Amino acid sequence: MTDSIALSSLLTPLIRQFNPKTILTAGETAASCLQTDNDTRLQHLTTPFKQQQLHDIEPVDLAVISHLTESLEKPAAQAWLGMIKNQYSPHVILISHTELAAKNDWQFTDYLAMGFKHIAGTEEGLRIFSYAIENYQPKRDWLNSRFWANPEMYDKYRW
C-alpha cells in the first residue's frame, strides 16, 4: 500500500498539470493510484490488454496506464499505446516496471521514440513517462516562410 501512496504523490502534480476533465485508467497500478469511488471523470480498462478494448471507450483528456509494457509483446504494446495517443487521449502517463518490461524487449529509447518524456523513477523499479501532444513537436524557428520562400526572387532566376 505504501508503494501506491508514493506513486500517487509522484503522479498528483503531473495530473494537476494536465487539468483533465476526463481520465482513463488502464491497469491495476494506475487504478489504485487514482482510486476515488465518487470520481465521475474515470473510465477504467483492466488487464489483459487487447486492441478490442479501445473500441469500447470514449476519448479522454488524460490516460494513466500501467502493466502494459510488462503484459503485452512489444509490437502489440506499441500499437496499443499508439492508438491511445493518436485517437483517444492528447495526454498519457505511462507507468512501467523496468525489469519486467525488459523481458518484452523494451528499452529506455523505445519510450522516447514514441514521444514519451521520462518523468521519474522509483525505488521499486518503476519508471514514469508522460506524453503531451502540445510538447511532442516543438515549434522550430527555421520552419517558416522567412527561411524557405523568397517571393521577391520569383521569376528573376532559374536554377
Side-chain angles (χ1 to χ4, degrees):
M1 187 68 174
T2 56
D3 296 342
S4 176
I5 294 170
L7 194 55
S8 292
S9 66
L10 283 172
L11 293 179
T12 300
L14 193 57
I15 292 169
R16 282 192 185 132
Q17 169 192 339
F18 294 132
N19 193 23
K21 292 181 180 37
T22 55
I23 300 173
L24 168 71
T25 61
E28 289 74 27
T29 303
S32 68
C33 289
L34 297 174
Q35 188 173 22
T36 54
D37 297 332
N38 57 359
D39 196 343
T40 58
R41 303 177 300 168
L42 293 178
Q43 295 182 57
H44 184 65
L45 296 176
T46 58
T47 56
F49 294 111
K50 296 181 177 111
Q51 206 75 13
Q52 183 60 33
Q53 288 174 303
L54 300 179
H55 298 292
D56 300 331
I57 63 170
E58 297 291 321
V60 294
D61 295 327
L62 173 66
V64 182
I65 302 167
S66 65
H67 298 290
L68 178 72
T69 56
E70 301 90 332
S71 64
L72 286 180
E73 295 294 320
K74 186 176 175 181
Q78 288 174 322
W80 205 92
L81 270 176
M83 196 168 197
I84 287 285
K85 289 180 359 177
N86 296 333
Q87 294 181 3
Y88 292 101
S89 181
H91 305 110
V92 179
I93 297 173
L94 178 64
I95 304 164
S96 179
H97 191 285
T98 307
E99 289 178 22
L100 298 176
K103 291 180 182 176
N104 285 335
D105 202 29
W106 279 89
Q107 299 175 5
F108 183 75
T109 55
D110 293 325
Y111 301 100
L112 302 180
M114 290 193 73
F116 285 92
K117 180 180 172 188
H118 183 249
I119 300 299
T122 67
E123 293 176 3
E124 295 81 27
L126 297 175
R127 282 191 178 160
I128 301 170
F129 296 90
S130 76
Y131 169 84
I133 190 68
E134 61 269 10
N135 297 332
Y136 177 68
Q137 191 74 314
K139 187 170 174 80
R140 292 172 174 84
D141 183 44
W142 57 266
L143 191 57
N144 59 53
S145 62
R146 190 178 85 217
F147 291 104
W148 291 97
N150 261 340
E152 66 275 358
M153 301 303 270
Y154 290 166
D155 295 325
K156 290 190 174 182
Y157 299 100
R158 297 281 176 213
W159 286 262

